[in-house]
Amino acid sequence: MPVSSNPDMDALPRVTIVTPSYNQAAYLEQTICSVLDQGYENLEYFVVDGGSTDGSQAIIGKYASRIDWWVSETDLGQAEAINKGFTRATGDYIAWINSDDLYQPGAILSAVKTLEDHPRACMAFGDVLSIDAEGHPFNLMTYGDWTLKDLMCFNIIGQPGVFMRRSDQLKAGLLDLSYRFLLDHHLWLRIAQYGEMVYVPQTWASARIHAKAKNVALARGFGQEAYQLAAWMPYQPGLADLYKKNRRRIWAGANRMNGRYLLDGGEPWKALRAYIRSFIQFPPIALSEWRRIGYAAVSLFFNVEKLKLQYLERRKNTLFDTTDDSEDDGTIEK
């Protein structure tokens, strides 16, 4: 990265951003530009490619003079690629942005200001816009002032909207390679034991939902890892007490999450069974997704795909209307 002539560069905390990538040439350049065009002076940026065969290296090379380090070599997947970047990081704050996602303008500066204003915070997170393969927005994922207990109950934060204090990330450790789907949530659970989480009701990132994305192509894997995480919690010293007090809520959250992804994966009967288990364990958690439960039940008897498409179109129109009238007012449903 060229040396900046801005005398205030050193006054800004250093931020390290890592982009893992594998055969994402269709989106990679947009991701890289969303990082480099932030205008944040004290930025350290790594791109870790897993040996792509689709021309990704040429795209990375185009921006090589502005990227601090990049590599293209075979790896064990997303988690290992991110860990390669994390182990090289020198920033005060750290995050990763996948090669099909985008940062919103000013996201890094806003995150840094938040973490600087909250010295006890281990991580800060903002809202995440859902976009399709062409980059058109269709939903806004909003969150709240969540705690470690909320994470344990599987309230999921959109990964592109998360920024961490590196000193706390070092305490929590690297991403666990045994997780393929909830590797980010597993890290949030570990890092949130070292400080506060701060939510900012601003849109910091866009998550691209497309046919090859894991949450579409391999939706069922998320629920299985939710069960794996719930079974892991009682054996962690920093989580064990909270687990004992909230065991039914936690397992209700894991079942709710499994139901959500089974439904997305086109298995309404299995999804409904997971939602029923969630309801038995802790009804309020299950009923937070009453629309999905209703959709799962109706789809057992009727072809409701057309109704689903109409609903999604209405949601998209509502999103445009809301973002035109007031920015990030929290009225859009997850």
Side-chain angles (χ1 to χ4, degrees), residues 99-275:
S99 53
D100 49 1
D101 298 333
L102 306 169
Y103 281 136
Q104 293 292 313
I108 293 178
L109 181 60
S110 180
V112 168
K113 287 181 176 178
T114 301
L115 289 163
E116 289 286 286
D117 290 342
H118 297 82
R120 296 181 61 186
C122 60
M123 57 187 279
F125 59 103
D127 296 333
V128 177
L129 193 67
S130 298
I131 60 175
D132 61 21
E134 288 72 41
H136 302 132
F138 63 89
N139 188 33
L140 180 63
M141 295 179 283
T142 61
Y143 309 108
D145 295 321
W146 291 349
T147 64
L148 176 58
K149 185 180 82 171
D150 295 306
L151 294 185
M152 292 175 69
C153 294
F154 294 94
N155 288 293
I156 301 297
I157 302 170
Q159 173 272 315
V162 175
F163 293 80
M164 298 167 282
R165 193 178 302 275
R166 182 166 162 266
S167 58
D168 290 321
Q169 177 270 309
L170 288 171
K171 295 174 188 174
L174 297 170
L175 290 165
D176 188 331
L177 271 61
S178 66
Y179 287 89
R180 185 180 180 188
F181 304 98
L182 293 180
L183 67 168
D184 50 357
H185 197 68
H186 184 229
L187 180 58
W188 310 156
L189 284 166
R190 289 183 283 133
I191 197 172
Q193 299 175 51
Y194 295 101
E196 301 170 352
M197 300 188 302
V198 180
Y199 167 62
V200 179
Q202 299 173 357
T203 305
W204 280 356
S206 296
R208 196 183 303 269
I209 311 300
H210 56 93
K212 294 183 180 180
K214 283 193 297 187
N215 55 351
V216 175
L218 301 167
R220 282 173 286 180
F222 286 84
Q224 295 307 308
E225 287 198 358
Y227 294 144
Q228 181 180 338
L229 271 176
W232 164 84
M233 292 178 196
Y235 300 99
Q236 308 310 306
L239 304 178
D241 288 343
L242 273 174
Y243 178 88
K244 290 178 183 177
K245 296 175 183 176
N246 299 279
R247 183 180 61 83
R248 294 183 68 85
R249 294 183 186 217
I250 290 167
W251 282 98
N255 276 302
R256 179 188 62 181
M257 186 172 188
N258 192 31
R260 179 190 309 165
Y261 281 100
L262 284 170
L263 187 59
D264 289 345
E267 299 188 66
W269 172 237
K270 291 182 179 179
L272 196 57
R273 288 195 297 177
Y275 278 126

